[in-house]
């Protein structure tokens, strides 16, 4: 059994013809569910989709699927989901009209499942990546002669908001900030490169 | 509803195909290639060949339809018009009420069978690719490869193609279809083999030469399946 994929669907993965389905679930109220294919898609309940059945909408809204990384050791990344295009669907339009706070900090899950040759789901949904939504941006590009519109959703991984500590120094002032009555570094300003202190005096 | 009156414009050809999203990871040293198809079954693309618009009664509706398409912003019902291969008594269009000769046809949103009465015999789920249906004594035997359309309550007219047909006897058939059902169906729902159609939007610019002369040429013109109701 594969460590990553369940047994179901392995035969399709090993074949020369693969029928994948990529899903994106945005934790707004109500949740926004879209997938890369055409038409509606119902998936089974799991740890992410607790209340099945839930229908994922698909009319080619996912214009691009960003590359995601397996993040370890506190690494963080930010990805851009490009949604919609010239056609703004009801789901994406509702998302764009939502309060910024409703989108910001909403959970984002990227999932993957496999269809068989009759386009029936043969694998459970594998949720590959989890992130936190930040903001929606709307761009219009007319440089190619016709207007191309896209709506992008910026999503950061869980560690994106991690703070880095500021630098600290071995000076009396810095030590006093850490411990107000500690004089350990109060003579440090008398030292300079090349200085010699005889001891014992 | 805006419709494409095939029998008025008489396109020289009609091509309907499912457009997918195939991708390949390249060929290995042993020339082995894995194909990935992520569209979930594909989307219909309809291309209609050149049309001669000789009469005023043909040219004026074309001009109006072209403007009404709103550069792809308006939905339009496009009939497949595959009458030579549909299981009909005669391919002559006179026996059917649709499509009419008008570009606005409210009857396009309904269907009453005249020659081929086919209904679903068992419920079918969303995205099902195998359906059971009853069709007693079609004028021409069903053999697979037929187009049919279903008027879904939410998604409207959707087009399907039978890729494999099993005759179970007694007028009951089991069919494998493409694309997967756009909406769940219940037993008794009608299958339209006589005048299959689907809701599309204009795909690109039509190649049209319409001058202020007596006649002109329309098309070719392409349409792509669209989903006016996306929230169900």
């Amino acid at each position: 059994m594969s460590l990553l994929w369940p047994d179901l669907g392995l035969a399709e993965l090993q074949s020369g013809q693969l029928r994948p389905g990529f899903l994106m679930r945005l934790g707004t109220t109500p949740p926004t569910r879209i997938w890369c294919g055409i038409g509606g898609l119902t998936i089974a309940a799991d740890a992410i989709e607790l209340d099945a059945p839930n229908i994922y909408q698909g009319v080619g809204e996912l214009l691009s699927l960003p590359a995601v990384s397996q993040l370890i050791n506190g690494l963080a990344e930010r990805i851009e989901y490009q949604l919609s295009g010239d056609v703004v669907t009801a789901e994406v339009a509702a998302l764009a009209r939502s309060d910024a706070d409703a989108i910001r900090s909403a959970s984002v899950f990227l999932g993957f499942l496999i269809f068989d040759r009759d386009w029936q789901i043969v694998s459970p949904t594998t949720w590959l990546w989890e992130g936190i939504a930040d903001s929606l941006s709307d761009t219009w590009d007319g440089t190619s002669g016709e207007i191309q519109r896209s709506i992008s959703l910026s999503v950061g991984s869980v560690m994106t908001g991690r703070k880095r500590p500021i630098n600290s120094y071995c000076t009396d002032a810095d030590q006093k900030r850490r411990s107000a009555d500690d004089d350990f570094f109060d003579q440090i300003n008398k030292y300079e490169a090349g200085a010699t202190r005889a001891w014992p005096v | 509803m805006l419709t494409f009156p095939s029998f008025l414009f008489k396109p020289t050809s009609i091509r309907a195909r499912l457009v997918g999203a195939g991708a390949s990871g390249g060929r290995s040293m042993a020339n082995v290639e894995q194909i990935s198809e992520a569209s979930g079954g594909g989307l219909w693309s309809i291309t209609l060949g050149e049309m001669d618009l000789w009469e005023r009664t043909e040219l004026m509706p074309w001009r109006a339809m072209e403007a009404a398409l709103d550069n792809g912003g308006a939905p339009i019902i496009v009939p497949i018009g595959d009458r030579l291969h549909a299981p009909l008594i005669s391919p002559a269009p006179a026996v059917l009420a649709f499509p009419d000769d008008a570009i606005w046809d409210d009857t396009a949103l309904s269907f009453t069978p005249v020659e081929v009465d086919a209904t679903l015999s068992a419920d079918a789920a969303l995205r099902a690719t195998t359906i059971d249906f009853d069709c007693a004594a079609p004028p021409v035997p069903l053999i697979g490869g037929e187009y049919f359309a279903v008027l879904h309550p939410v998604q409207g007219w959707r087009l399907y193609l039978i890729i494999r047909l099993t005759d179970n006897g007694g007028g009951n058939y089991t069919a494998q279809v493409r694309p997967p059902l756009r909406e769940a169906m219940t037993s008794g729902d009608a299958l339209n083999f006589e005048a299959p159609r689907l809701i599309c939007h204009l795909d690109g610019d039509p190649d049209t030469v319409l001058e202020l002369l007596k006649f002109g040429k329309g098309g070719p013109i392409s349409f792509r399946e669209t989903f006016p109701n996306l929230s169900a």
Side-chain angles (χ1 to χ4, degrees):
Chain A
M1 176 180 164
S2 164
L3 289 176
L4 181 59
W5 305 112
D7 287 338
L8 295 175
L10 274 180
E12 277 71 21
L13 280 173
Q14 292 165 349
S15 74
Q17 300 83 33
L18 181 62
R19 291 170 172 79
F22 295 96
L23 310 102
M24 191 195 88
R25 184 188 188 280
L26 179 60
T28 50
T29 304
T32 302
R33 301 179 175 93
I34 56 178
W35 76 296
C36 66
I38 305 297
L41 173 69
T42 303
I43 67 170
D46 58 22
I48 304 300
E49 288 287 5
L50 300 175
D51 302 319
N54 291 296
I55 297 180
Y56 280 70
Q57 297 297 336
V59 283
E61 287 152 316
L62 273 180
L63 291 186
S64 69
L65 208 58
V68 294
S69 306
Q70 191 79 1
L71 301 170
I72 58 173
N73 294 336
L75 285 176
E77 71 174 346
R78 178 168 296 279
I79 62 175
E80 294 274 335
Y81 282 97
Q82 197 172 11
L83 307 175
S84 218
D86 292 329
V87 176
V88 179
T89 65
E91 281 76 20
V92 177
L95 203 62
R97 288 196 303 268
S98 301
D99 293 337
D101 289 343
I103 299 172
R104 191 171 294 123
S105 302
S107 62
V108 177
F109 289 94
L110 172 62
F112 172 89
L113 50 75
I114 301 169
F115 297 97
D116 65 10
R117 294 185 181 184
D118 289 324
W119 287 109
Q120 304 304 299
I121 298 174
V122 291
S123 73
T125 305
T126 299
W127 296 102
L128 294 171
W129 195 88
E130 177 184 357
I132 301 171
D134 191 0
S135 60
L136 273 178
S137 62
D138 192 347
T139 59
W140 294 74
D141 181 9
T143 56
S144 62
E146 59 179 28
I147 294 176
Q148 296 286 338
R149 184 189 182 192
S150 65
I151 297 176
S152 299
L153 176 66
S154 177
V155 182
S157 67
V158 174
M159 288 293 180
T160 304
R162 178 171 59 97
K163 289 179 170 53
R164 288 173 53 185
I166 58 175
N167 289 332
S168 63
Y169 300 92
C170 294
T171 64
D172 186 46
D174 270 24
Q175 188 62 21
K176 288 289 195 299
R177 271 199 291 272
R178 289 186 284 266
S179 179
D181 58 350
D182 189 343
D183 295 329
F184 190 84
F185 289 134
D186 68 342
Q187 302 296 314
I188 205 75
N189 58 350
K190 297 179 181 174
Y191 291 94
E192 60 187 23
T196 302
R197 291 287 181 267
W199 186 87
V201 295
Chain B
M1 182 82 182
L2 185 64
T3 60
F4 188 89
S6 301
F7 297 111
L8 174 66
F9 295 145
K10 304 181 190 61
T12 52
S13 64
I14 297 179
R15 186 168 71 119
R17 63 190 182 97
L18 282 169
V19 178
S24 168
R27 289 179 182 265
S28 70
M29 292 177 63
N31 213 25
V32 175
E33 182 183 24
Q34 186 183 51
I35 303 293
S36 170
E37 164 62 10
S39 71
L43 192 70
W44 284 110
S45 174
I46 314 294
T47 301
L48 305 173
E50 218 172 60
M51 289 149 271
D52 290 328
L53 308 173
W54 293 96
E55 304 292 335
R56 185 171 186 272
T57 53
E58 295 166 342
L59 189 147
M60 302 295 278
W62 177 275
R63 187 190 295 178
M65 180 198 70
E66 207 173 17
L69 285 170
D70 287 335
N71 292 306
I76 179 171
I77 292 182
V78 179
I80 300 304
D82 185 29
R83 296 187 56 82
L84 280 177
H85 307 103
L88 301 171
I89 297 173
S90 165
V95 297
L96 293 180
F98 173 81
D100 202 347
D101 288 351
I103 63 171
W104 301 101
D105 189 348
D106 292 336
T107 66
L109 294 174
S110 62
F111 168 66
T112 302
V114 175
E115 300 180 15
V116 186
D117 189 358
T119 57
L120 205 67
S121 59
D123 293 354
L126 170 67
R127 290 193 59 79
T129 51
T130 301
I131 61 171
D132 292 323
F133 68 94
D134 294 319
C135 184
V140 175
L142 302 179
I143 58 174
E146 290 91 355
Y147 288 106
F148 69 93
V150 176
L151 182 56
H152 293 295
V154 175
Q155 297 296 342
W157 280 112
R158 296 294 142 195
L159 181 72
Y160 303 98
L161 178 70
I162 297 177
I163 65 170
R164 187 172 185 177
L165 189 70
T166 302
D167 188 344
N168 300 320
N172 182 260
Y173 299 86
T174 298
Q176 289 185 20
V177 301
R178 291 291 188 272
L181 293 183
R182 303 297 195 206
E183 191 173 327
M185 297 176 65
T186 55
S187 177
D189 286 348
L191 308 184
N192 179 359
F193 282 89
E194 297 179 13
R197 65 199 79 163
L198 77 159
I199 302 176
C200 297
H201 65 82
L202 180 66
D203 185 16
D205 288 327
D207 185 10
T208 307
V209 179
L210 282 184
E211 302 174 1
L212 295 179
L213 301 176
K214 186 177 181 181
F215 52 83
K217 282 189 177 291
I221 187 170
S222 294
F223 298 97
R224 186 157 289 208
E225 184 177 10
T226 190
F227 296 84
N229 192 324
L230 305 171
S231 300

